Structure formats: structure tokens, C-alpha cells
Amino acid sequence: MYYFSGWAYKFLHFFEKITWRAADGIIAISWEMANYIKMESGRGVQVVLDPVDSKDFPLHAAKNEGSVMFHGVLTRNKNVDILLDAAKRLPDVPFVIIGDGPDRARLQAKATGNVTFKAWMPFKSIHRHIATCAIGVALRSDNPGNEYVVTSPFLQYGIMGKPCLVTRRKVFGDYEWQFSGVDELVEKIKILFDRPEEGLKLQKYIL
């Protein structure tokens, strides 16, 4: 459902609701998702929040290289284009994109010179790269299926004390560092470079 919107989403969601009603039990990964399923299906829903283990993301004194970082699978569902558009407007800021996927070649062809692409990294190595960035960005495309999903990178940047910008979604409620378009993304990147303490606030919230 994360890849569809419009009539395609509505058509598939019809069958999704049938599945919810027929299931023996339902577990949602956010309270917002649980409330939505309850409303749509009339069923009781348990909640198990997305986890992040601090043992996998140890704090260490790596040099902050002042970069804006994204990591994840490179598919259109992640809407990495908006990060490349921001990089074009901030030519003096280094951007780092870690990951691989079917959209990588297209994204690399579009990227400006201040964007560095790094290949897929083992999960156990990601914390070393997060440690060197100044700001993390957790991306999802704008469709109904993504409204209720907290992406793992948001938790990973946060637990390492890094500010994290996220695409605006219902699941994030009144979290301040959300954005809806490239203008807002660029503006908030500029602000967060002067407010690294926002990462420590996020870390405290997650822990």
C-alpha cells in the first residue's frame, strides 16, 4: 500500500479492510495506525511500536562532517528527489545518500556535485555514518499508506542524538521538524545547522 495513491489505493484498500475484519488479531506499529484501523474495521488493535536498540547505535566521538544524510532503499516510494532538489539549493552543504535500489541510477544522474552516493552498507555499520552527519532526513512519498508509518531511520538518527527531518505525516503528530515540500525542507535544514541541541531532545524522547 506504500506505493499507491488515488483510485489505485482506494481499490486496494477495499480488500485491505476485508482482511482486517477477517484476521484473528491485528497488531499495528503506531497508535495512529491502530486508531485508523479501529475506525475502518471496528476491530480491536494491539500496538507494538517500531523498535530501535541502543546497542546497535552506540555513541562515539566521530567528527561531525556537517553533512545532511539519508540512508535506505532507493525506490520512488522514498521520494529521494526532494532531497536532491534541496541539495541543488544548498550548493555549499554536503549531502550523503547511503543505499541501493532500482532508483539509484536515475537519482545519481540527477544529483548535483555536492551529493555523494555510497553503496549499500551492512546494518551494523550504519551507526558509524550517522555519527559523522549533522542532520538526518527520513523520507517517504506522499500517499495514504505512509501516513501511519514511523520510518526506522528517524529512530536511528534520534537515538544517536542527531536532529532528524521527516516528511509530514499523521504519525508524527506535532513533531516540529516535519516538512511538506522542498522550500520547507531547505528552510529547516538551515535552522537545524544552528540548533544541534534538537538532536539531544529527540534522543531523550526516544530513550
Side-chain angles (χ1 to χ4, degrees):
M1 299 295 287
Y2 302 146
Y3 295 88
F4 300 97
S5 57
W7 287 106
Y9 177 84
K10 291 178 182 179
F11 175 75
L12 293 171
H13 184 53
F14 172 79
F15 295 100
E16 186 176 43
K17 289 190 289 185
I18 292 174
T19 303
W20 288 342
R21 293 174 184 138
D24 293 329
I26 302 173
I27 299 174
I29 58 174
S30 71
W31 290 105
E32 290 76 12
M33 180 181 281
N35 291 334
Y36 178 66
I37 294 173
K38 288 177 186 177
M39 180 182 68
E40 291 280 282
S41 68
R43 296 287 307 277
V45 181
Q46 292 180 293
V47 176
V48 177
L49 298 176
D50 265 349
V52 61
D53 192 334
S54 59
K55 294 177 183 176
D56 293 326
F57 295 90
L59 298 176
H60 44 77
K63 180 182 177 182
N64 184 329
E65 297 176 353
S67 62
V68 177
M69 177 178 157
F70 165 85
H71 68 285
V73 181
L74 300 181
T75 63
R76 287 185 181 270
N77 176 52
K78 297 298 176 68
N79 193 25
V80 180
D81 289 83
I82 196 170
L83 193 62
L84 298 184
D85 293 340
K88 188 175 182 178
R89 297 193 189 187
L90 297 167
D92 296 327
V93 175
F95 285 71
V96 176
I97 295 175
I98 297 176
D100 207 344
D103 215 21
R104 178 171 177 169
R106 184 188 69 81
L107 293 169
Q108 282 189 286
K110 176 180 178 177
T112 49
N114 58 326
V115 181
T116 300
F117 282 80
K118 297 186 178 181
W120 175 88
M121 300 282 178
F123 177 77
K124 64 182 180 181
S125 300
I126 291 297
H127 69 90
R128 298 190 184 95
H129 297 276
I130 293 176
T132 64
C133 79
I135 300 168
V137 182
L139 296 168
R140 287 278 183 166
S141 60
D142 183 18
N143 68 53
N146 282 325
E147 287 286 347
Y148 306 98
V149 180
V150 175
T151 50
S152 297
F154 168 73
L155 301 172
Q156 294 164 6
Y157 289 116
I159 204 166
M160 293 194 68
K162 300 292 183 174
C164 185
L165 289 161
V166 295
T167 42
R168 194 175 304 281
R169 280 170 269 164
K170 292 177 181 176
V171 71
F172 288 113
D174 60 358
Y175 177 64
E176 182 177 359
W177 302 106
Q178 301 181 66
F179 62 91
S180 296
V182 66
D183 291 338
E184 190 174 13
L185 174 57
V186 168
E187 177 188 356
K188 289 189 172 180
I189 287 173
K190 291 177 180 178
I191 293 170
L192 282 177
F193 271 121
D194 293 325
R195 293 172 61 178
E197 70 275 8
E198 293 297 327
L200 298 178
K201 292 180 184 178
L202 179 57
Q203 182 188 55
K204 184 177 180 180
Y205 170 76
I206 289 173
L207 291 174

